[in-house]
């Protein structure tokens, strides 16, 4: 095997591993009530691996990455999709951008599917949405 073939084999092997740990989709809808709230919105997750026993959720602010918005964990009873109920995340601080009236901030929810050992990440998904007066319905 030449070095190009070996390099391609390594890339393909690594991309297969990455695909096994990603592929979940995450979606939610912001409301004005979410502004500066400690109540998490309902979150829809699809593509959850069959072995997942726990969903770990984290909210991140792209415009203020040092601010910890927290998240939480919820048990997963099976199936390839889940609806995480509103208010289910116990360590959560909602979006509260100081420039809500103009551009707001971009926020991402990341959801990881965790195995029975409580540690192994079986899959993950991330979605980003803007939170501003322009992007959130009245």
């Amino acid at each position: 095997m030449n070095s190009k073939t070996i390099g391609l084999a390594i890339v393909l092997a690594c991309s297969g591993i990455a695909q096994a740990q990603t592929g979940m989709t995450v979606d939610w809808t912001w409301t004005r009530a979410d502004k500066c709230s400690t109540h998490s919105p309902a979150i829809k997750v699809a593509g959850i691996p069959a072995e997942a026993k726990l969903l770990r959720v984290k909210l991140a602010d792209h415009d203020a990455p040092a601010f910890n918005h927290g998240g939480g964990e919820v048990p997963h009873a099976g199936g390839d999709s889940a609806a995480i109920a509103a208010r289910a995340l116990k360590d959560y601080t909602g979006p509260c951008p100081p420039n809500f009236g103009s551009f707001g901030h971009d926020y991402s929810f990341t959801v990881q599917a965790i195995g029975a050992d409580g540690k192994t990440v079986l899959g993950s998904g991330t979605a980003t949405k803007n939170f501003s007066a322009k992007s959130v319905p009245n």
Side-chain angles (χ1 to χ4, degrees), residues 74-91:
V74 294
H76 180 62
D80 67 348
S81 64
I84 300 171
R87 300 177 179 231
L89 305 179
K90 301 303 178 198
D91 179 28

Side-chain angles (χ1 to χ4, degrees), residues 30-34 100 130-138:
W30 293 124
T31 67
R32 298 267 173 148
D34 292 315
F100 178 77
N130 180 264
F131 188 79
S132 69
K134 295 176 183 180
S135 66
V136 178
N138 286 329

Side-chain angles (χ1 to χ4, degrees), residues 6-66:
I6 292 171
L8 179 59
I10 291 170
V11 167
L12 290 174
C14 289
S15 66
I17 292 169
Q19 289 173 351
Q21 293 183 355
T22 60
M24 292 169 41
T25 60
V26 178
D27 193 25
W28 73 97
T29 301
W30 293 124
T31 67
R32 298 267 173 148
D34 292 315
K35 185 177 180 204
C36 306
S37 174
T38 57
H39 303 294
S40 58
I43 302 168
K44 298 174 193 169
V45 185
I48 302 168
E51 304 82 16
K53 301 297 180 199
L54 184 72
L55 298 175
R56 184 174 295 146
V57 183
K58 181 151 181 63
L59 178 65
D61 183 337
H62 291 255
D63 300 290

Side-chain angles (χ1 to χ4, degrees), residues 7 103 123:
F103 298 106

Side-chain angles (χ1 to χ4, degrees), residues 47-131:
I48 302 168
E51 304 82 16
K53 301 297 180 199
L54 184 72
L55 298 175
R56 184 174 295 146
V57 183
K58 181 151 181 63
L59 178 65
D61 183 337
H62 291 255
D63 300 290
F67 188 88
N68 180 11
H69 284 276
E73 297 179 341
V74 294
H76 180 62
D80 67 348
S81 64
I84 300 171
R87 300 177 179 231
L89 305 179
K90 301 303 178 198
D91 179 28
Y92 174 84
T93 302
C96 199
N99 61 345
F100 178 77
S102 57
F103 298 106
H105 283 190
D106 291 329
Y107 295 87
S108 293
F109 270 112
T110 298
V111 180
Q112 294 179 318
I114 307 298
D117 64 0
K119 297 177 184 176
T120 303
V121 177
L122 303 171
S124 66
T126 300
T128 302
K129 292 186 181 186
N130 180 264
F131 188 79

